Amino acid sequence: MNKPRETFNSRMGMLMAMAGSAIGLGNIWRFPYMMGRNGGAAFILIYIIMLVVLCLPVMVSEYLIGRRGGFNPFSSFDRLAPGSKWRWIGFLAVLSSACILSFYCVVGGWSVKYLLDSCTLAFSNPHSDYAAAFGGFIGSPFKPLLYTLIFLGLTGLIIVFGVHKGIERMSKIMITVLFVIIVLVVVRSLTLPGAVDGVRYMFVPDFSKVTAGTCISAMGQAFFSLSIGCGTILTYASYVSKQENILASSAWISFFDTLFAIIAGLAIIPAVYAIAYMNGVEPDVSAGPGLVFITLPGVFSQMPLGGVVAILFFLALLLAALTSAISLMEVVVAFIIEELRRSRARAVLMSFLVCGVVGVFCSLSFGPLEGFKLFGLSVFDFFDYITSNIMLPVGGLLLAVFAGWRLKRANYLDELTNGGKLNIPRWLALTIYYLVKLVAPVGISLIFLNCLFS
Ligand code: PFF
């Protein structure tokens, strides 16, 4: 295995690619709602504590394993613990990524369709029944499949150009455009009459709403949002040069991801409030597809400049989903290239086919296959459930245990400080190490048990 590997060409490109993986649908349709439900600014505070104490150390460790291992997840673990069973954690990560991509691409497909619809002014009639339109679309046998495959095809098209020319270059462009767009949408949303109540819903701190459950949901959301536990950070890190500061990069990515989630909330929630008040109804800001594909089209149809805002918003949604999807597909592609010794183009095709077939089943579970259940869940819900609630936390937990108990402390600290060249205070490096070794396994087990029994 001494084939020269591609690397990211610039620090900015690497940060944008990793931030792109983190920033996705989770930021747009879950975070704002969770904030509103769980005490606003109080939730942000808890979220940040969870982020710093639990997620950041695990992210640093995933990054560190990838950079030190230097290969796809399977081989990276194998290089750090040669011949041991630990490499199967790497395999689990590849499998998790493939499973997430298989349902993520269905929603990605919906955003392609909604972007095209918004370009033909489909969301300009305030009297349309957007719930019925959405239900009709996702339930139809062919259309959503077509869009799912278009989305997956776009993902593959970016990856086929490789780490530098494909992933890095496109992430830089897409994330920049995404930030500009979302800020424009925030300006529109906040200047609507009545928007301030939405801002209040998001931010007013209410510590009485903070319970143990809040802390656990904050942890779960932080893991999913930062894309930890399924090998995306690890795979990207294997393309990072030995000069990068792992701790600083991880901190920047977490900061950007959280900032984006808050900005996305400001783009959505105040607008939903403003339009609901205009119509004299209660605002509905529940999380998930309903918010993005039913409530928001209704909101856009009633706001001044709504046609333009709809185009911008669905473009942002598509870009956010795409940058996450490329990171997921790259995990599978890197595995196929290095373990099955196929060319990049072939590996992309194979990933496209595997995730495409599962994706088609996920998509059909809203229509013709509605009655088909796996463990009582539709195919889509099954993949969503097992990945978010089981595979990611288990992956994160095993990763933390590996970093804390299997890697030697000296090696961990050596990689973290680039062989002592970086000026990271020893107490800080040791704190990160012990958070991973002792606190993270307990914390993650808690999320896991909570999710399993709730
Ligand atoms: N972080 C992405 C989001 O917030 O939508 C979802 C995700 C992407 C999870 C990549 C895991 C992953 F590996």
PDB file of all heavy atoms in Angstrom, residues 21-27 97 100 104 224-228 230 232 324 327-328 392, ligand 1:
ATOM      1  N   SER A  21     -19.210  18.789   5.305  1.00  0.00           N
ATOM      2  CA  SER A  21     -19.742  17.517   5.767  1.00  0.00           C
ATOM      3  C   SER A  21     -20.664  17.748   6.967  1.00  0.00           C
ATOM      4  O   SER A  21     -21.747  17.174   7.073  1.00  0.00           O
ATOM      5  CB  SER A  21     -18.590  16.600   6.164  1.00  0.00           C
ATOM      6  OG  SER A  21     -19.085  15.455   6.800  1.00  0.00           O
ATOM      7  N   ALA A  22     -20.211  18.613   7.854  1.00  0.00           N
ATOM      8  CA  ALA A  22     -20.989  18.844   9.082  1.00  0.00           C
ATOM      9  C   ALA A  22     -22.279  19.609   8.805  1.00  0.00           C
ATOM     10  O   ALA A  22     -23.347  19.263   9.316  1.00  0.00           O
ATOM     11  CB  ALA A  22     -20.118  19.602  10.078  1.00  0.00           C
ATOM     12  N   ILE A  23     -22.179  20.651   7.978  1.00  0.00           N
ATOM     13  CA  ILE A  23     -23.364  21.481   7.722  1.00  0.00           C
ATOM     14  C   ILE A  23     -24.280  20.740   6.763  1.00  0.00           C
ATOM     15  O   ILE A  23     -23.895  20.426   5.645  1.00  0.00           O
ATOM     16  CB  ILE A  23     -22.941  22.821   7.097  1.00  0.00           C
ATOM     17  CG1 ILE A  23     -22.144  23.628   8.121  1.00  0.00           C
ATOM     18  CG2 ILE A  23     -24.147  23.586   6.603  1.00  0.00           C
ATOM     19  CD1 ILE A  23     -21.495  24.861   7.537  1.00  0.00           C
ATOM     20  N   GLY A  24     -25.474  20.427   7.225  1.00  0.00           N
ATOM     21  CA  GLY A  24     -26.378  19.673   6.348  1.00  0.00           C
ATOM     22  C   GLY A  24     -27.813  19.831   6.803  1.00  0.00           C
ATOM     23  O   GLY A  24     -28.166  20.794   7.499  1.00  0.00           O
ATOM     24  N   LEU A  25     -28.624  18.855   6.423  1.00  0.00           N
ATOM     25  CA  LEU A  25     -30.045  18.938   6.754  1.00  0.00           C
ATOM     26  C   LEU A  25     -30.257  19.027   8.259  1.00  0.00           C
ATOM     27  O   LEU A  25     -31.198  19.652   8.729  1.00  0.00           O
ATOM     28  CB  LEU A  25     -30.747  17.696   6.204  1.00  0.00           C
ATOM     29  CG  LEU A  25     -30.634  17.527   4.685  1.00  0.00           C
ATOM     30  CD1 LEU A  25     -31.163  16.162   4.251  1.00  0.00           C
ATOM     31  CD2 LEU A  25     -31.404  18.624   3.985  1.00  0.00           C
ATOM     32  N   GLY A  26     -29.374  18.382   9.023  1.00  0.00           N
ATOM     33  CA  GLY A  26     -29.491  18.395  10.483  1.00  0.00           C
ATOM     34  C   GLY A  26     -29.483  19.822  11.033  1.00  0.00           C
ATOM     35  O   GLY A  26     -30.190  20.123  11.997  1.00  0.00           O
ATOM     36  N   ASN A  27     -28.691  20.698  10.416  1.00  0.00           N
ATOM     37  CA  ASN A  27     -28.640  22.085  10.895  1.00  0.00           C
ATOM     38  C   ASN A  27     -29.914  22.822  10.526  1.00  0.00           C
ATOM     39  O   ASN A  27     -30.361  23.698  11.229  1.00  0.00           O
ATOM     40  CB  ASN A  27     -27.504  22.862  10.219  1.00  0.00           C
ATOM     41  CG  ASN A  27     -26.170  22.209  10.442  1.00  0.00           C
ATOM     42  OD1 ASN A  27     -25.975  21.067  10.056  1.00  0.00           O
ATOM     43  ND2 ASN A  27     -25.270  22.906  11.083  1.00  0.00           N
ATOM     44  N   SER A  97     -21.778   4.947   6.731  1.00  0.00           N
ATOM     45  CA  SER A  97     -21.825   6.019   5.736  1.00  0.00           C
ATOM     46  C   SER A  97     -22.711   5.620   4.563  1.00  0.00           C
ATOM     47  O   SER A  97     -23.515   6.419   4.075  1.00  0.00           O
ATOM     48  CB  SER A  97     -20.426   6.331   5.214  1.00  0.00           C
ATOM     49  OG  SER A  97     -19.697   6.966   6.206  1.00  0.00           O
ATOM     50  N   ILE A 100     -26.339   5.853   5.693  1.00  0.00           N
ATOM     51  CA  ILE A 100     -26.834   7.237   5.818  1.00  0.00           C
ATOM     52  C   ILE A 100     -27.068   7.814   4.426  1.00  0.00           C
ATOM     53  O   ILE A 100     -28.105   8.403   4.138  1.00  0.00           O
ATOM     54  CB  ILE A 100     -25.845   8.131   6.598  1.00  0.00           C
ATOM     55  CG1 ILE A 100     -25.674   7.622   8.025  1.00  0.00           C
ATOM     56  CG2 ILE A 100     -26.336   9.577   6.616  1.00  0.00           C
ATOM     57  CD1 ILE A 100     -24.722   8.438   8.872  1.00  0.00           C
ATOM     58  N   TYR A 104     -30.284   9.708   2.897  1.00  0.00           N
ATOM     59  CA  TYR A 104     -29.991  11.137   2.738  1.00  0.00           C
ATOM     60  C   TYR A 104     -30.225  11.565   1.280  1.00  0.00           C
ATOM     61  O   TYR A 104     -30.706  12.655   1.011  1.00  0.00           O
ATOM     62  CB  TYR A 104     -28.528  11.368   3.121  1.00  0.00           C
ATOM     63  CG  TYR A 104     -28.208  12.700   3.770  1.00  0.00           C
ATOM     64  CD1 TYR A 104     -28.442  12.917   5.123  1.00  0.00           C
ATOM     65  CD2 TYR A 104     -27.626  13.726   3.035  1.00  0.00           C
ATOM     66  CE1 TYR A 104     -28.115  14.123   5.730  1.00  0.00           C
ATOM     67  CE2 TYR A 104     -27.300  14.936   3.634  1.00  0.00           C
ATOM     68  CZ  TYR A 104     -27.543  15.125   4.981  1.00  0.00           C
ATOM     69  OH  TYR A 104     -27.219  16.328   5.564  1.00  0.00           O
ATOM     70  N   PHE A 224     -24.668  14.001  15.431  1.00  0.00           N
ATOM     71  CA  PHE A 224     -25.153  13.901  14.052  1.00  0.00           C
ATOM     72  C   PHE A 224     -24.697  15.117  13.258  1.00  0.00           C
ATOM     73  O   PHE A 224     -24.209  15.017  12.142  1.00  0.00           O
ATOM     74  CB  PHE A 224     -26.688  13.797  14.035  1.00  0.00           C
ATOM     75  CG  PHE A 224     -27.245  13.621  12.653  1.00  0.00           C
ATOM     76  CD1 PHE A 224     -27.237  12.368  12.047  1.00  0.00           C
ATOM     77  CD2 PHE A 224     -27.771  14.688  11.948  1.00  0.00           C
ATOM     78  CE1 PHE A 224     -27.739  12.192  10.758  1.00  0.00           C
ATOM     79  CE2 PHE A 224     -28.275  14.519  10.655  1.00  0.00           C
ATOM     80  CZ  PHE A 224     -28.259  13.267  10.075  1.00  0.00           C
ATOM     81  N   SER A 225     -24.840  16.287  13.888  1.00  0.00           N
ATOM     82  CA  SER A 225     -24.549  17.518  13.168  1.00  0.00           C
ATOM     83  C   SER A 225     -23.071  17.627  12.802  1.00  0.00           C
ATOM     84  O   SER A 225     -22.720  18.157  11.753  1.00  0.00           O
ATOM     85  CB  SER A 225     -24.990  18.716  13.992  1.00  0.00           C
ATOM     86  OG  SER A 225     -24.925  19.866  13.206  1.00  0.00           O
ATOM     87  N   LEU A 226     -22.192  17.139  13.681  1.00  0.00           N
ATOM     88  CA  LEU A 226     -20.762  17.238  13.378  1.00  0.00           C
ATOM     89  C   LEU A 226     -20.262  16.061  12.534  1.00  0.00           C
ATOM     90  O   LEU A 226     -19.077  15.956  12.248  1.00  0.00           O
ATOM     91  CB  LEU A 226     -19.954  17.317  14.669  1.00  0.00           C
ATOM     92  CG  LEU A 226     -20.097  18.633  15.419  1.00  0.00           C
ATOM     93  CD1 LEU A 226     -19.296  18.580  16.707  1.00  0.00           C
ATOM     94  CD2 LEU A 226     -19.624  19.807  14.581  1.00  0.00           C
ATOM     95  N   SER A 227     -21.176  15.176  12.147  1.00  0.00           N
ATOM     96  CA  SER A 227     -20.814  14.007  11.320  1.00  0.00           C
ATOM     97  C   SER A 227     -19.761  13.140  11.994  1.00  0.00           C
ATOM     98  O   SER A 227     -18.833  12.643  11.345  1.00  0.00           O
ATOM     99  CB  SER A 227     -20.260  14.420   9.942  1.00  0.00           C
ATOM    100  OG  SER A 227     -21.039  15.361   9.320  1.00  0.00           O
ATOM    101  N   ILE A 228     -19.885  12.952  13.314  1.00  0.00           N
ATOM    102  CA  ILE A 228     -18.876  12.147  14.000  1.00  0.00           C
ATOM    103  C   ILE A 228     -19.341  10.699  14.083  1.00  0.00           C
ATOM    104  O   ILE A 228     -20.526  10.431  14.270  1.00  0.00           O
ATOM    105  CB  ILE A 228     -18.664  12.638  15.452  1.00  0.00           C
ATOM    106  CG1 ILE A 228     -18.337  14.115  15.461  1.00  0.00           C
ATOM    107  CG2 ILE A 228     -17.534  11.878  16.118  1.00  0.00           C
ATOM    108  CD1 ILE A 228     -18.287  14.679  16.865  1.00  0.00           C
ATOM    109  N   CYS A 230     -18.924   8.094  11.826  1.00  0.00           N
ATOM    110  CA  CYS A 230     -19.126   7.206  10.681  1.00  0.00           C
ATOM    111  C   CYS A 230     -18.027   7.371   9.647  1.00  0.00           C
ATOM    112  O   CYS A 230     -18.212   7.059   8.476  1.00  0.00           O
ATOM    113  CB  CYS A 230     -20.504   7.380  10.080  1.00  0.00           C
ATOM    114  SG  CYS A 230     -20.751   8.965   9.394  1.00  0.00           S
ATOM    115  N   THR A 232     -16.461   9.925   8.204  1.00  0.00           N
ATOM    116  CA  THR A 232     -16.270  11.018   7.229  1.00  0.00           C
ATOM    117  C   THR A 232     -15.097  11.906   7.640  1.00  0.00           C
ATOM    118  O   THR A 232     -14.244  12.234   6.817  1.00  0.00           O
ATOM    119  CB  THR A 232     -17.545  11.879   7.069  1.00  0.00           C
ATOM    120  OG1 THR A 232     -17.974  12.273   8.358  1.00  0.00           O
ATOM    121  CG2 THR A 232     -18.651  11.122   6.409  1.00  0.00           C
ATOM    122  N   SER A 324     -22.652  17.383   2.393  1.00  0.00           N
ATOM    123  CA  SER A 324     -22.651  16.263   3.341  1.00  0.00           C
ATOM    124  C   SER A 324     -22.600  14.939   2.588  1.00  0.00           C
ATOM    125  O   SER A 324     -21.894  14.002   2.983  1.00  0.00           O
ATOM    126  CB  SER A 324     -23.899  16.285   4.222  1.00  0.00           C
ATOM    127  OG  SER A 324     -23.877  17.414   5.048  1.00  0.00           O
ATOM    128  N   SER A 327     -19.190  13.836   1.398  1.00  0.00           N
ATOM    129  CA  SER A 327     -18.309  13.294   2.437  1.00  0.00           C
ATOM    130  C   SER A 327     -18.694  11.851   2.750  1.00  0.00           C
ATOM    131  O   SER A 327     -17.841  11.013   3.031  1.00  0.00           O
ATOM    132  CB  SER A 327     -18.363  14.158   3.699  1.00  0.00           C
ATOM    133  OG  SER A 327     -19.582  13.984   4.386  1.00  0.00           O
ATOM    134  N   LEU A 328     -19.988  11.554   2.696  1.00  0.00           N
ATOM    135  CA  LEU A 328     -20.435  10.184   2.967  1.00  0.00           C
ATOM    136  C   LEU A 328     -19.990   9.247   1.851  1.00  0.00           C
ATOM    137  O   LEU A 328     -19.493   8.148   2.095  1.00  0.00           O
ATOM    138  CB  LEU A 328     -21.967  10.147   3.088  1.00  0.00           C
ATOM    139  CG  LEU A 328     -22.543  10.792   4.349  1.00  0.00           C
ATOM    140  CD1 LEU A 328     -24.029  11.081   4.182  1.00  0.00           C
ATOM    141  CD2 LEU A 328     -22.321   9.881   5.551  1.00  0.00           C
ATOM    142  N   LEU A 392     -24.245   5.460  14.572  1.00  0.00           N
ATOM    143  CA  LEU A 392     -23.381   6.605  14.894  1.00  0.00           C
ATOM    144  C   LEU A 392     -22.911   6.593  16.344  1.00  0.00           C
ATOM    145  O   LEU A 392     -21.706   6.712  16.603  1.00  0.00           O
ATOM    146  CB  LEU A 392     -24.080   7.940  14.593  1.00  0.00           C
ATOM    147  CG  LEU A 392     -24.169   8.359  13.131  1.00  0.00           C
ATOM    148  CD1 LEU A 392     -24.715   9.771  13.012  1.00  0.00           C
ATOM    149  CD2 LEU A 392     -22.817   8.291  12.461  1.00  0.00           C
TER     150      LEU A 392
HETATM  151  N1  PFF B   1     -23.893  16.390   9.568  1.00  0.00           N
HETATM  152  C1  PFF B   1     -24.921  16.183   8.581  1.00  0.00           C
HETATM  153  C2  PFF B   1     -26.104  17.062   8.891  1.00  0.00           C
HETATM  154  O1  PFF B   1     -26.098  17.779   9.902  1.00  0.00           O
HETATM  155  O2  PFF B   1     -27.053  17.022   8.123  1.00  0.00           O
HETATM  156  C3  PFF B   1     -25.364  14.764   8.495  1.00  0.00           C
HETATM  157  C4  PFF B   1     -24.244  13.785   8.394  1.00  0.00           C
HETATM  158  C5  PFF B   1     -23.356  13.880   7.338  1.00  0.00           C
HETATM  159  C6  PFF B   1     -24.069  12.849   9.372  1.00  0.00           C
HETATM  160  C7  PFF B   1     -22.270  13.028   7.260  1.00  0.00           C
HETATM  161  C8  PFF B   1     -23.021  11.990   9.319  1.00  0.00           C
HETATM  162  C9  PFF B   1     -22.128  12.101   8.269  1.00  0.00           C
HETATM  163  F1  PFF B   1     -21.111  11.298   8.215  1.00  0.00           F
END
